[in-house]
Amino acid sequence: WQAVIMEVTCPSSRTVTIMMIMTRALVYVGYVSALVLLVAGVCTRTYTVQSGDTCDSIASSQGVSVQTIYALNPSVNSQCTNLEIGQVLCLASSNNGGNDTLSTVYSIWHCGDDCAWTDKPDLSQSAWILDRGDGKPTSNLVIMSFMDPIALLNAQNGNGYTNGVPNGMIASVSYFTSRGIRVMFSIGGASWSDRFVSALNQNAAQFAKNAAMTAKKYDVGMEIDVEVDSSSYASQLGTFVDTYRTLIPYDSSANASSSTMLTIDMGSGTDYLATIASPARGWVSSNKLNWANAMVSDSPWNDINEATSSWQQHLSAGLPANRLVVSQYGSNTCSSYNSGGILQETVQWVQGKGVRGIAFWAAGSGGGEFVSNCRGIQQGSQALLK
């Protein structure tokens, strides 16, 4: 055996020094390429080739595309006939994954099977989120929707919950984080907004403490989704935000835990949920919230001007562009991105305005507005996240 020092310039344009132990006679180029990606912080998932493996069998068993294997492992020939037992292949890249500060957000609300998550959903229909076709995830953030606020406040056990967290969420986090995708839990939603207000009125501080403990335990962020247009709970919601930040301070650094992410949903424009829009902008500006989501409208927009006129209301009211995430229906954006249309126009508007990103409603296996495969969103990811 011989120790060899190699200096390699990686795809990320960083030069790293690698010590490899190898035989004097043989160096597998495939080993080098995977190791370079790992040390450079580009590769987030690897696979060690075993006897009988082919590119097709690896792609099938590991939930990636054959094209991804070729794209991330240039040493593999076009017929995949030069795999070696023990060779380390890179299966996923983190260029837009878990170590990203999410200065650009390309997120997907995920409803599982029924938006309740008390059982683990069929995640096989979410493989398109893990790989957009070039080894990188389609999304850099998945927002599991929704948590029952009263169950969280009471730290409910039983009936599909563990300490107030739906068992399906707990069982599904690693499916996404193992691919370098950050995860958030959304508390409330339209169906449970009255229960959100009730939880705030009962004990806003304890509600926040339970949310923070959950965030730390599972390394997930938290999204506030309370769709009640009333100022009656603004003070209690402020207590929730302040308590959460006392336990988990704001942190926008590259290696910040996902638990530091705390966001809020607002209307598509300022007309809906108007009474909460002003305090929300204040919490964002004072770094108590990472960003605010402009939610989807009642139905998909047919024209980009309808969408931008709503989104612009938030900017005109003083919300910083880089702290606004706009939203589209996934079902309205699944046609080819490259053929033009509202998603391409949304990406262009986001880039032109310096807006933080785009969120899509919603992934899931329930059919209808829940998309289980969306090529347009995958292509939009390549345009916005590169």
Side-chain angles (χ1 to χ4, degrees), residues 147-155 163-165 185-189 192-215 222-226 233 236-245 247 262:
M147 297 181 73
D148 178 353
I150 295 295
L152 181 59
L153 171 63
N154 295 333
N163 293 322
V165 185
F185 291 168
S186 181
I187 310 171
W192 281 335
S193 284
D194 287 340
R195 292 172 71 82
F196 200 122
V197 174
S198 179
L200 289 173
N201 289 333
Q202 289 181 48
N203 194 332
Q206 187 62 54
F207 185 21
K209 289 176 183 178
N210 291 357
M213 286 190 294
T214 298
M222 287 289 167
E223 177 188 83
I224 299 167
D225 186 357
V226 52
Y233 63 90
Q236 294 93 325
L237 187 55
T239 298
F240 178 98
V241 171
D242 289 341
T243 302
Y244 191 99
R245 280 300 176 217
L247 298 170
L262 182 63

Side-chain angles (χ1 to χ4, degrees), residues 321-375:
N322 66 348
R323 309 293 284 276
L324 172 66
V325 173
V326 301
S327 305
Q328 288 281 10
Y329 281 91
S331 58
N332 199 37
T333 54
C334 284
S335 59
S336 175
Y337 175 90
N338 297 321
S339 64
I342 198 164
L343 179 53
Q344 189 176 92
E345 293 172 320
T346 299
V347 169
Q348 293 169 351
W349 187 86
V350 164
Q351 292 172 325
K353 291 286 187 176
V355 166
R356 197 181 193 101
I358 308 170
F360 297 93
W361 176 264
S365 56
E369 66 183 19
F370 302 125
V371 294
S372 57
N373 195 8
C374 191
R375 186 59 185 144

Side-chain angles (χ1 to χ4, degrees), residues 45 47 53-64 91 179:
R45 185 182 175 214
Y47 175 81
D53 275 342
T54 65
C55 285
D56 285 336
S57 68
I58 294 169
S60 177
S61 66
Q62 300 302 306
V64 300
L91 298 187
R179 269 58 165 201

Side-chain angles (χ1 to χ4, degrees), residues 252-307:
S252 62
S253 63
N255 295 318
S257 165
S258 291
S259 65
T260 63
M261 295 189 299
L262 182 63
T263 66
I264 192 167
D265 286 352
M266 299 197 297
S268 57
T270 56
D271 293 337
Y272 179 56
L273 301 181
T275 54
I276 206 65
S278 179
R281 288 192 297 270
W283 295 326
V284 169
S285 298
S286 60
N287 288 337
K288 293 180 180 180
L289 299 178
N290 293 69
W291 66 82
N293 297 304
M295 294 187 295
V296 291
S297 58
D298 291 338
S299 58
W301 283 295
N302 296 314
D303 182 87
I304 188 63
N305 292 324
E306 294 177 343

